[in-house]
Amino acid sequence: MTRLYNDPADFADEALEGFAAAHHRWVRPVRGGVVRAEGTPDGQVAVVIGGGSGHYPAFSGLVGRGLAHGAAVGNVFASPSARQIRSVARSAHGGAGVLLMYGNYAGDVLHFGQAAEHLNAEGVQARTLAVTDDISSARPDERAKRRGIAGDLPVFKAAAAAAEEGLPLTEVVHVAEHANARTRSFGIAFSGCTLPGSDAPLFTVADARMAVGLGIHGEPGIGEEPLPRADDAARLLVARLLEEIPEDVPCPRGQRAAVILNGLGSVKYEELFVVYRTVADLLGRAGVEIVDPEVGELVTSFDMAGVSLTLTWLDERLERYWRAPVDTPAHRKGFPAPAPRTSEILAARLDAGNAHGTDPVPDSSEASRAAATTVLAALDALATTVEEHTAELGRIDAVAGDGDHGIGMSRGSSAARRAAAEAHDRGAGAGTVLERAAEAWADRAGGTSGALWGAILRSLSTALGDQETPTALRVAEGAVSAAAEVRRLGGAEVGDKTMVDVLVPFADTLAEAVAGGAPLPDAWGRAATAAEAAAEATAHLLPLMGRARPHAAKSLGTPDAGAHSLALITRAVHGVLRHHN
C-alpha cells in the first residue's frame, strides 16, 4: 500500500515536484507537467505524452532525448486537464507542431482532444493519438475501444524517434498509428493497488487465484483463474498475444518483435526475470526473434502485484525506431548526441506555457452580482457535500472502476469554490463566477468528471451571463444546455450508466417545472427528486461507457458513482436555493 504521503489530495502535485527536483538534468517543471531541460530543437515536432499519476515511470519519467518532449501529468489515475496539456504543449513546441499521445481512456480522450482544439485555434498545429494495445479490453473488431497500457512505451518511442529524424507532423502521426496497430498487450495480477490515503486495495483476489486481463488504474480484471507457477503465467501471456497477430503480419514465425515484460508495481525484478526466461523460450519456439527486450517497471499501477506482456511486431522502420538511442530519467538506450541548449528560446517557451495571470473581471450588472452571492453559496454547499461523501464515492467507483471518483470530485469542487470566491470578491457577476469555477474544476480535477463538470458549470455560466437578471428560465436553459454538452463530449446517452442518466431527467424536470410557472426553488426541488430516483435506478444498469465497461457485471446492484454524486449535489444546491429566494 502507499504509506508515505501528506494530504492525499496533494500527492500527485508533490510527487511531480519531487521528481522534477531529482531529475533536473533531464526535465524542467512547467504548469501541468514537465518538458525536456534543453527544450525542443527548432523545427522539430514535439511529442507530448500524458495521463494520470500513479504509473511511474510513465509519464514524466519518459521525457528526454529520443523520447517525449514533454509530459502532462494529472491527478492519481485521472487525466491531466486541457489547460495543463496546453501549457506543456506550448512549452514544448518547437515550431513544427505537436503530437499529443495518451492511453485510450475517456478522460484523456476528452482533455487531450480539447487541448488540441485550443492549440490549433491558437495557431499551434496539433494532432492526437490514443494508444489501444490492451487486447483484454475489447474485441479485435472494436480495437478503437481498447485501453492503452504498457504498449504506450513502444508507440511513444516510435513517434519520438520519427520526430528526432526531422519528419513533419503528418508523417510522425503516421508512424505512431503504424506502431499502435502493431502493438498488443495482456496482463495478470495477484492483488490490487491502494491509493494514497486509502486503507484497502481497489480490488482483491482470493488466495490461490489471479485476476486476468486487468488495466493500469486499479480496476479488476475481466476474469479470474487459478494462481499459476511462473512458467504457467508466461505460457498464458504468450499464448494470449499469439492468438491475435496484426493483420499485416502473416504469422509469427520469422518475425521480429519488441518485447516488454512489465511489472505493475510490487512484483520484484527477480520474479520478472523468472517469467521472462520462459517468455523468451516460448517466443523463440514460435519463431519470433526478440529485439532489444525490456524487463522491468515501465507502466505501473502504484503497488499492484501483477505483470503484463507487450509485443510490438516490427518492420524495418519500426525496428530502427525501437533501437534508436534514448536518454530519459527512467528509460535509457545508447548514447544520443548532446543536444544544444537554447536557453533564451526555451525560457520564452516556458514563459508562454506558464502564462496564467489573473484575468480581469468583466463588467456586470447589480442584479448579476447579487445572484453571484447565491451561486457562491451553491458552490460552497456543493464542495461541502462532496467532501462529506468522498470516501463513499470512491468506494462506489472501486466496485467496477478505479476508485478515484471521490478524490477527483473533491479536488475539482474545492478548486471551483476557491476560484468562485476569488471572482466574487473582485465583484464578478454570476456568469463569470461560474465560468472561473468551471475552469478551475476542469483544471484541478482532470479526468472524465473534471471535463464534464467543467462543461456543466460553463453551460450555466453562459446561460446566466453577467448583465441580465438571472431567472428560473435562464437556469433551466443552462441545465438543458449542460445535458446536451455532456452528451456531446462524453458520447454517453441515457441507459449507459453514467452521470447522463441523472443529468438528463434533472434538466428535463427542471425545465418542465419552470415552464409550468414554478418558482426556481420548487422547480429545482422536483428536479432533485427526479435526479435521486434516476441515480438509484443506475444500480440496475450495465455500464456501456468508461472504465467500468469491461467489468459490467460487477457493477450490478451498485449505482454509478458519477450519477450518485450528481444527485447528492442537486439536493445540496436545493437547500441553498430555498434559503436565498
Side-chain angles (χ1 to χ4, degrees), residues 473-540:
L473 180 59
R474 287 183 175 275
V475 173
E477 289 174 345
V480 171
S481 175
E485 182 65 4
V486 166
R487 282 183 291 176
R488 184 189 71 83
L489 284 173
E493 295 294 342
V494 173
D496 289 346
K497 195 165 186 172
T498 71
M499 69 186 301
V500 168
D501 289 294
V502 170
L503 184 55
V504 169
F506 170 80
D508 289 348
T509 303
L510 179 63
E512 182 180 354
V514 168
L520 181 59
D522 293 347
W524 193 284
R526 294 181 207 171
T529 299
E532 290 164 341
E536 185 177 350
T538 62
H540 308 294

Side-chain angles (χ1 to χ4, degrees), residues 427-476:
T432 294
V433 167
L434 279 166
E435 189 275 331
R436 299 290 167 86
E439 189 173 83
W441 191 316
D443 186 42
R444 182 64 175 163
T448 306
S449 67
L452 299 183
W453 269 100
I456 290 171
L457 297 184
R458 200 170 293 113
S459 294
L460 291 168
S461 165
T462 301
L464 294 185
D466 288 330
Q467 298 300 327
E468 301 296 329
T469 299
T471 63
L473 180 59
R474 287 183 175 275
V475 173

Side-chain angles (χ1 to χ4, degrees), residues 36 46-51 57-64 66-72 99-104 108 112 129-133 148-164 172 175-177 179-180 183 216 260 298-299 312 321-322 326 331:
R36 290 189 191 181
V47 174
V48 173
I49 63 176
F59 296 89
S60 54
L62 304 180
V63 174
L67 232 162
H69 298 78
L99 174 56
L100 305 175
M101 303 184 71
Y102 48 91
N104 190 33
D108 295 288
F112 279 90
L129 185 132
V131 179
T132 56
D133 60 303
I149 52 175
D152 284 352
L153 176 61
V155 180
F156 292 167
K157 191 174 187 302
E164 294 277 359
V172 173
V175 168
E177 291 172 340
N180 186 46
T183 300
I216 57 169
I260 299 173
L298 294 160
V299 181
T312 297
Y321 291 152
W322 177 242
V326 60
H331 184 54

Side-chain angles (χ1 to χ4, degrees), residues 322-334:
W322 177 242
R323 288 181 175 274
V326 60
D327 182 26
T328 74
H331 184 54
R332 299 168 203 167
K333 183 185 296 185

